[in-house]
DNA sequence: GCTCCCATGTAATCTGTTACATGATTCC
DNA sequence: GGAATCATGTAACAGATTACATGGGAGC
């Protein structure tokens, strides 16, 4: 029943890279796992507090630089490391995949194909932008994290993103042909 | 704020194919849109009642065959058709995609690669089963729904499933190589 | 002074799952 | 008689988003 939320583990994972504030964790998620795992700030802050309560992380108020305001910097504890590892070893659960575009196309016979076509063209544009983003992130990673022990794993998930996006693009183009032919 | 749920539209969509009972809608979803759009019975029955209240569908108690128990058969109304069409024409929203496997791999440096490898091998098996299921559904569709005006749209979404699954499989195999090499 | 970004948090609300309750019919 | 499936629903709870509240510092 309880404890189905994986916010805690996402946080611990981010802290396993290096200590960070809630705000920074939120930004890291936005610029890394966001395309396959998103978390909102409304979840992160309470979960962080819970991690400290459970002894999975410690909190220290610090100033990043002189003259800057206080930030709460969280560090993962040994217990947190163990909790994270145990979870990582467990079989991943299938998770929600909900695609509204597909749902609309599934019922597409109810509207004009020009409308369906329109959805597809828009989607194609989005996909092209996504693909470009993945390329940029890859470049950034190869420069900034060249020696990180995490690089290999980051590239793996990034590669998933670009491979799947390319396949989606191929599907998109083929589907567009289908509608234009008629 | 409100009305972010798309259960209502999923139901209307299913009713646009043909009248059905709540139970049947649930089964249809399981055997068609489930891989990109799932709904649970706990949502379907209340949403159906709401549809009747809003005049989007009518309800009639019927016996499917002589001697069978009563079922509530729902039929979409003109207002329901319009509601559905309006929604179908609106720009699809990006929806939740959450992949726990990727999340675990992203933090994979924390555990042994044999564990990561294990996750990938399991995933590969699942994908192969999925692909086989898509093929079966496709065959079934081509036989049973040969003349349906919806066939084209069903095949479209099905094709998405198999194309994406194939791309995932390719990614899986490449990733496995990455881990085995070391 | 104003705006933007950094930073932390809470509350309201919505959405969705799970478990439970109930009972009929069909097939073995 | 018992199990499986058909069939309809409710209640409790878990999960997540959104909006709001608050305030400091940086740059214009």
């Amino acid at each position: 029943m309880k404890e189905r939320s994986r916010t805690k583990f996402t946080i611990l994972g981010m802290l396993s890279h290096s200590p960070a504030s809630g705000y920074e964790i939120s930004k890291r998620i936005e610029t890394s796992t966001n395309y396959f795992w998103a978390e909102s700030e409304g979840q992160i802050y309470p979960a962080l507090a819970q991690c400290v309560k459970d002894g999975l992380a410690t909190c220290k108020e610090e100033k990043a630089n002189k003259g800057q305001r206080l930030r709460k910097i969280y560090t993962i504890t040994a217990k947190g490391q163990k909790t994270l590892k145990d979870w990582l070893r467990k079989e991943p659960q299938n998770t929600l995949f909900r695609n509204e575009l597909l749902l609309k196309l599934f019922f597409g016979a109810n509207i004009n194909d020009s409308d369906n076509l329109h959805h597809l063209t828009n989607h194609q544009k989005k996909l092209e932008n996504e693909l470009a983003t993945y390329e940029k992130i890859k470049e950034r990673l190869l420069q900034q994290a060249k020696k990180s022990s995490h690089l290999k794993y980051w590239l793996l998930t990034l590669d998933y993103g670009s491979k799947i996006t390319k396949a989606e693009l191929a599907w998109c183009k083929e589907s567009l042909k289908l509608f234009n032919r008629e």
Side-chain angles (χ1 to χ4, degrees), chain A:
Chain A
M1 44 218 67
K2 306 103 233 172
E3 293 298 306
R4 261 180 296 132
S5 171
R6 278 136 303 182
T7 307
K8 200 170 73 180
F9 301 113
T10 311
I11 287 173
L12 290 177
M14 287 299 171
L15 293 181
S16 82
H17 291 157
S18 68
S21 68
Y23 186 78
E24 206 192 321
I25 290 174
S26 161
K27 292 297 142 189
R28 279 194 204 166
I29 291 172
E30 264 175 48
T31 56
S32 61
T33 67
N34 213 53
Y35 64 98
F36 61 82
W37 203 273
E39 299 278 357
S40 62
E41 292 190 349
Q43 284 172 273
I44 291 173
Y45 286 110
L48 265 171
Q50 191 59 45
C51 282
V52 174
K53 236 185 234 173
D54 296 343
L56 308 176
T58 56
C59 175
K60 207 178 162 185
E61 294 204 27
E62 276 181 18
K63 288 184 182 184
N65 294 303
K66 270 181 194 174
Q68 280 195 316
R69 64 205 152 297
L70 280 175
R71 297 184 306 157
K72 293 188 179 179
I73 304 294
Y74 294 87
T75 308
I76 192 167
T77 63
K79 190 179 170 189
Q81 292 264 6
K82 191 180 177 313
T83 304
L84 175 62
K85 281 180 192 176
D86 287 347
W87 176 74
L88 286 174
R89 289 199 193 96
K90 251 188 270 168
E91 172 100 10
Q93 300 301 302
N94 279 343
T95 32
L96 257 280
F97 171 52
R98 289 194 146 199
N99 188 321
E100 201 178 293
L101 172 68
L102 286 187
L103 187 63
K104 293 198 172 182
L105 289 177
F106 187 79
F107 300 126
N110 289 287
I111 52 174
N112 292 329
D113 271 354
S114 64
D115 291 318
N116 291 317
L117 202 89
H118 186 246
H119 289 331
L120 275 169
T121 333
N122 279 341
H123 189 58
Q124 195 186 8
K125 273 179 219 153
K126 274 187 205 163
L127 290 172
E128 275 158 5
N129 288 334
E130 258 178 54
L131 207 53
T133 306
Y134 293 143
E135 291 305 318
K136 269 181 216 150
I137 296 179
K138 191 168 181 176
E139 277 175 40
R140 200 196 66 201
L141 269 183
L142 288 174
Q143 283 176 6
Q144 291 180 8
K146 213 180 285 180
K147 288 174 188 174
S148 168
S149 59
H150 299 281
L151 181 62
K152 177 177 153 191
Y153 304 92
W154 296 345
L155 290 177
L156 196 72
T157 53
L158 197 55
D159 188 45
Y160 179 96
S162 63
K163 271 211 172 57
I164 265 50
T165 306
K166 277 174 195 165
E168 266 197 81
L169 263 173
W171 166 81
C172 229
K173 278 172 193 164
E174 208 170 288
S175 303
L176 282 171
K177 257 190 258 168
L178 199 78
F179 284 117
N180 278 323
R181 223 186 298 150
E182 288 157 27

